[in-house]
């Protein structure tokens, strides 16, 4: 993955601003987490994951899940992460625990020079204004399928193919997500 241009843009932003917030958007298995880790190490950044904001069971209504991008708790993300980060304040956020389907106690994170928000739905129209830079990681559907099968195994991969990827595609299309991002890799 070519990240040289992205790194240059982040460096330029860091020269202009005290703190920078970057969103890494894209479909399942597109490399968001890997890129996030690479940037985290390179810049000694803080990385937060949209997977920590899955909906709690009581939020998983038919109506909510039919909304494009409705399967993450963007309201909680905005209140606990986006708004405080934009203000340069410490964030106190509660991770969603997939094993218990509950929200864990809050952890406090002080603002870093660079904060990376990694995950699908990170640039939802309600959240995009909180970022200094947004990146979309594009992936060929064949490669995506291969990566998901390798990462998750056949049984779990089927859930991605039948449920999660169609939801992502709907979100990407309805909100023109790829084209709304500042950069496409």
């Amino acid at each position: 993955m070519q990240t040289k241009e992205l790194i240059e843009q982040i460096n330029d932003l860091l020269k202009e601003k005290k703190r920078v917030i970057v969103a890494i958007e894209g479909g399942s298995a597109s490399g968001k987490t890997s890129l996030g880790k690479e940037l985290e190490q390179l810049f000694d950044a803080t990385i937060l994951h949209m997977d920590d904001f899955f909906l709690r069971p009581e939020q998983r209504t038919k109506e909510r899940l039919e909304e494009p991008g409705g399967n993450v708790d963007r309201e909680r993300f905005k209140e606990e992460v986006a708004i405080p980060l934009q203000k340069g304040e410490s964030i106190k956020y509660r991770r969603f625990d997939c094993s218990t389907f509950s929200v864990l106690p809050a952890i406090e994170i002080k603002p870093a020079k660079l904060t990376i928000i990694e995950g699908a739905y990170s640039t939802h129209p309600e959240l995009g204004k909180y970022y200094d830079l947004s990146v979309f990681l594009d992936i060929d559907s064949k490669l995506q399928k291969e990566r998901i099968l390798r990462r998750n195994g056949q049984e779990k991969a089927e859930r991605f193919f039948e449920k999660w990827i169609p939801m992502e595609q709907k979100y990407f299309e309805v909100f023109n997500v790829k084209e709304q991002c500042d950069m496409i890799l």
Side-chain angles (χ1 to χ4, degrees):
M1 179 183 305
Q2 175 59 282
T3 58
K4 185 179 176 186
E5 184 182 342
L6 173 61
I7 291 167
E8 288 173 3
Q9 281 199 300
I10 292 171
N11 276 321
D12 289 346
L13 285 167
L14 288 168
K15 290 174 188 171
E16 298 170 15
K17 300 183 77 169
K18 187 176 179 179
R19 289 186 187 84
V20 174
I21 306 169
V22 175
I24 303 174
E25 173 74 80
S28 296
S30 61
K32 299 177 301 295
T33 303
S34 296
L35 177 59
K37 286 178 183 176
E38 182 181 335
L39 295 173
E40 178 185 31
Q41 291 176 353
L42 185 63
F43 288 98
D44 191 26
T46 295
I47 186 167
L48 302 170
H49 308 278
M50 288 304 291
D51 288 357
D52 291 341
F53 294 89
F54 283 141
L55 296 176
R56 297 181 308 273
E58 66 272 15
Q59 294 174 296
R60 294 174 187 222
T61 63
K62 182 179 186 292
E63 296 77 24
R64 178 63 183 246
L65 292 174
E66 287 177 352
E67 287 178 28
N71 58 321
V72 293
D73 191 345
R74 61 186 179 271
E75 298 85 1
R76 184 166 65 84
F77 176 83
K78 188 165 47 172
E79 291 302 314
E80 292 181 9
V81 175
I83 293 171
L85 270 180
Q86 191 177 53
K87 293 178 181 178
E89 300 171 352
S90 291
I91 58 174
K92 293 179 182 132
Y93 91 101
R94 302 166 294 143
R95 287 183 40 247
F96 179 80
D97 182 350
C98 292
S99 64
T100 62
F101 277 80
S102 64
V103 175
L104 299 174
I107 57 172
E108 184 172 353
I109 298 174
K110 298 195 184 305
K113 184 173 75 168
L114 175 64
T115 301
I116 301 158
I117 309 300
E118 173 274 319
Y121 310 105
S122 60
T123 61
H124 186 283
E126 291 180 25
L127 304 176
K129 68 182 178 183
Y130 295 101
Y131 306 122
D132 299 296
L133 180 65
S134 58
V135 181
F136 187 90
L137 298 189
D138 209 359
I139 186 167
D140 170 76
S141 60
K142 183 180 177 199
L143 178 58
Q144 181 183 45
K145 188 171 186 170
E146 290 170 7
R147 286 181 178 177
I148 290 170
L149 281 166
R150 192 171 42 244
R151 179 183 75 188
N152 298 89
Q154 184 66 43
E155 189 177 316
K156 289 183 180 176
E158 290 304 320
R159 188 163 174 92
F160 276 88
F161 305 145
E162 294 170 9
K163 184 174 185 174
W164 302 122
I165 292 174
M167 290 175 83
E168 288 175 357
Q169 290 302 320
K170 179 180 177 183
Y171 158 73
F172 295 151
E173 290 169 15
V174 168
F175 293 121
N176 203 21
V177 172
K178 183 175 168 180
E179 290 75 17
Q180 296 299 319
C181 287
D182 300 311
M183 182 180 239
I184 300 169
L185 297 178

